[in-house]
Amino acid sequence: MTDLRGLAVGSVVAQRGVLPEAVEVVRERQHGDMAAVAYLARRRSDGSSFRGFAGLRRREDGIWRSSGGWSSGAPDGVGPEALWAAWGGWGSGPRGTPDVGVRGGWVADPTAALVRLTDPSGRVVEDRVEAGVAILIWDQGLATREAVVELVDADGAVLRRALLERS
């Protein structure tokens, strides 16, 4: 079995110039041949911290390789309507309707239990919030330009809603 956490930490170390012991894995999620690992890290140069996702994709040869990611040094302070405290994503395929993709981050509302993404055709991608993080992964075309993201509480009530591309 492949150590996705180890591969993700190695990717963060190589791309962001941090020491392995400065990377804390917060959460990981795999869907088919795609995976994302949420992490917190500390820079060697000044000790400042940042967070992000390291992306992995299993290629046709069966080997997992780095495949996207994002990082942010943004502070936790967010507005009352914000969905994310820090977020990002990547994908491949036509712009606005990527064939495969990942979006996610640290949710802005601590009472959120689920993040749901719905495109205009009614396709739904969702993930439960764990350690304050949600990771949305899809492997079929999704109309991201018009997609809506919702933060949902444990009782199923929608807490916040915004267009994906503006969230």
Side-chain angles (χ1 to χ4, degrees):
M1 183 166 177
T2 302
D3 175 17
L4 296 179
R5 284 177 177 239
L7 288 172
V9 169
S11 175
V12 173
V13 168
Q15 295 176 17
R16 307 286 186 224
V18 298
L19 297 172
E21 57 271 15
V23 180
E24 173 192 348
V25 172
V26 176
R27 173 146 191 247
E28 69 180 281
R29 182 162 186 232
Q30 179 184 345
H31 177 77
D33 291 336
M34 297 181 66
V37 176
Y39 65 85
L40 297 172
R42 198 164 286 288
R43 290 183 181 85
R44 281 190 281 200
S45 59
D46 62 5
S48 63
S49 62
F50 62 99
R51 53 187 157 186
F53 278 19
L56 300 164
R57 189 158 186 195
R58 185 172 30 220
R59 307 296 179 180
E60 289 181 13
D61 60 8
I63 297 174
W64 287 89
R65 293 191 175 88
S66 180
S67 148
W70 63 269
S71 65
S72 171
D76 286 335
V78 295
E81 301 301 316
L83 281 103
W84 307 101
W87 76 285
W90 62 93
S92 63
R95 182 162 172 78
T97 56
D99 298 326
V100 296
V102 175
R103 296 290 189 280
W106 279 257
V107 298
D109 188 325
T111 64
L114 180 85
V115 175
R116 179 174 37 230
L117 170 65
T118 307
D119 83 353
S121 72
R123 292 208 43 229
V124 175
V125 178
E126 58 187 24
D127 186 37
R128 67 189 176 286
V129 177
E130 294 179 15
V133 174
I135 303 171
L136 303 167
I137 302 176
W138 65 90
D139 56 7
Q140 298 176 9
L142 193 73
T144 57
R145 282 191 187 142
E146 300 86 21
V148 173
V149 179
E150 297 172 318
L151 299 184
V152 180
D153 70 14
D155 295 324
V158 174
L159 301 167
R160 302 178 191 187
R161 174 183 290 130
L163 288 172
L164 174 66
E165 299 301 329
R166 295 189 185 143
S167 63

